[in-house]
């Protein structure tokens, strides 16, 4: 139950930061996919996710 709550809160936090991150260039890297299907825009930010996880991992190792 604890992991479900953590994942839920993380997804809410990411969706809240999404407009800010998009202005900074995340979501527009090569390897990030955006397409329209069933009348809705879908984002699959593969490259941005890898970059953010690398930065967070580097920060945790430094601390």
């Amino acid at each position: 139950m604890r992991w479900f709550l953590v994942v839920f809160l993380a997804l809410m936090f990411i969706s809240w930061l999404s407009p800010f991150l998009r202005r900074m260039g995340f979501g527009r890297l090569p390897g990030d996919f955006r397409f329209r299907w069933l009348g809705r825009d879908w984002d699959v930010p593969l490259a941005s996710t890898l970059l953010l996880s690398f930065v967070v991992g580097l920060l945790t190792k430094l601390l």
Side-chain angles (χ1 to χ4, degrees), residues 24-39:
M24 300 226 6
F26 290 104
R28 290 185 277 159
L29 297 173
D32 292 338
F33 303 106
R34 184 175 186 156
F35 56 94
R36 188 170 188 86
W37 187 50
L38 298 175

Side-chain angles (χ1 to χ4, degrees), residues 48-63:
S48 295
T49 303
L50 288 174
L51 180 65
L52 284 174
S53 65
F54 176 74
V55 169
V56 169
L58 187 64
L59 286 173
T60 57
K61 286 193 185 265
L62 291 175
L63 294 177

Side-chain angles (χ1 to χ4, degrees), residues 3-40:
W3 282 106
F4 178 74
L5 182 61
V6 168
V7 169
F8 177 75
L9 290 175
L11 288 174
M12 285 192 57
F13 185 69
I14 290 170
S15 68
W16 180 68
L17 282 178
S18 181
F20 174 72
L21 292 174
R22 190 175 311 271
R23 275 188 254 132
M24 300 226 6
F26 290 104
R28 290 185 277 159
L29 297 173
D32 292 338
F33 303 106
R34 184 175 186 156
F35 56 94
R36 188 170 188 86
W37 187 50
L38 298 175
R40 185 169 182 219

